[in-house]
Amino acid sequence: MRKLKGRRGVGIAAVVVAVLAALAGIAGAAGKNKPVKVIVGNIELTANGGFTPEALSKTKQTPIAFFAEGKIRTLDGTHPPALKEFIVETDKNGALNVKGFPTCTSGVLQSRTTHAAEEACPDAIIGSGFATAGIKFSEQPKDVLAKSKIVVFNGGESGGVVTLFIHAYITIPVPAAIVTTVKVKKVHNGRYGLLSTGTIPKIAGGAGSVIAFNLKIDKKYTYKGQRISVLTAKCPDGKLQARGTGVFADGTRLSAEVIRTCTGKG
């Protein structure tokens, strides 16, 4: 496990990169990348991710399954700032495929428990995991932990933009659904071919911050007689990469880049 140093908050931005990398099919190869510990100022992040299969075609998009996980803490035990927006560019050799996949809407997911959301749009689910938020009010001596299952729903594609909804449900301090909207579109920016932007609603009125998560996406479906994978990637030059920027409630704007190796074949 290695330690890195840099500008304040880059560690949390790395989590953003990992999550969006998952949605776009770009991340570290399973079994080759060990967990990474990042210490930046007062913030420490431990993160890991991977995909299978490790070997990908050099020329054709290959179906993949993805997982990512991360933990965030402050070195002095104080409450971390909340992330409110993220912008991520991912490798042009990865793809997110939802054509013909069932859809759901944000309105259907709002105010629903996790179970109710899953029952409302069962066929639109493309991934799931768990997240923990630390909630800290001024009168509290320390964070109260709120844990939730997270479920990724397909919101459909329109005008070349894919919409995804990430649903979570907490019961502290009061029951509430948290639905993050992610927009993904194709771009032509050198190495990067997908641009993803996400807005995160306030957790507990702004008193909550995500401090841990894990996520897995391994979804295949049939469309017009063909078997399709939601996530695919190819490996023409032995690497895949992503870069992201996180915008936080305290005004901090942070950027990070991830480059991972892959094995090309054929």
Side-chain angles (χ1 to χ4, degrees), residues 6-260:
R7 293 182 295 123
R8 176 180 177 270
V10 173
I12 296 180
V15 172
V16 178
V17 173
V19 173
L20 269 293
L23 300 179
I26 308 299
K32 292 184 179 181
N33 295 293
K34 296 180 180 180
V36 174
K37 180 176 288 188
V38 183
I39 297 177
V40 186
N42 189 41
I43 298 173
E44 178 184 278
L45 161 74
T46 302
N48 197 10
F51 63 77
T52 55
E54 298 178 17
L56 305 173
S57 170
K58 291 182 179 181
T59 59
K60 297 180 180 180
Q61 290 289 331
T62 305
I64 61 172
F66 176 87
F67 75 89
E69 59 185 6
K71 293 181 180 180
I72 304 167
R73 73 180 186 98
T74 56
L75 299 181
D76 63 3
T78 56
H79 182 70
L83 179 70
K84 67 176 186 178
E85 182 183 6
F86 48 77
I87 306 104
V88 176
E89 293 175 284
T90 47
D91 203 294
K92 62 184 179 182
N93 293 305
L96 170 65
N97 312 294
V98 296
K99 188 173 183 179
F101 196 86
T103 63
C104 193
T105 65
S106 177
V108 170
L109 300 174
Q110 299 290 345
S111 302
R112 291 182 185 266
T113 65
T114 300
H115 181 68
E118 290 174 317
E119 283 196 330
C121 297
D123 297 331
I125 297 172
I126 66 172
S128 64
F130 289 90
T132 301
I135 299 174
K136 176 71 166 62
F137 294 102
S138 58
E139 66 274 14
Q140 296 175 227
K142 60 181 181 180
D143 284 17
V144 174
L145 300 184
K147 298 182 180 180
S148 173
K149 183 177 181 180
I150 56 176
V151 184
V152 184
F153 294 87
N154 174 37
E157 183 174 2
S158 177
V161 178
V162 175
T163 299
L164 302 173
F165 300 115
I166 304 176
H167 179 279
Y169 188 82
I170 60 174
T171 58
I172 300 173
V174 294
I178 302 166
V179 182
T180 298
T181 301
V182 181
K183 299 287 187 178
V184 186
K185 67 178 181 179
K186 292 182 179 180
V187 295
H188 300 282
N189 187 17
R191 182 75 196 194
Y192 302 105
L194 287 174
L195 174 65
S196 303
T197 57
T199 53
I200 303 173
K202 289 183 179 180
I203 302 174
S209 299
V210 175
I211 60 174
F213 77 90
N214 65 69
L215 174 68
K216 183 176 182 180
I217 297 178
D218 182 13
K219 193 69 176 180
K220 278 77 175 177
Y221 65 103
T222 300
Y223 178 61
K224 292 186 176 180
Q226 292 187 323
R227 195 66 175 162
I228 300 172
S229 176
V230 168
L231 298 180
T232 60
K234 59 182 178 179
C235 183
D237 58 4
K239 67 178 181 180
L240 297 170
Q241 64 190 65
R243 66 184 178 191
T245 297
V247 181
F248 295 82
D250 64 355
T252 303
R253 189 179 181 90
L254 312 158
S255 298
E257 185 175 73
V258 174
I259 299 176
R260 301 297 199 194

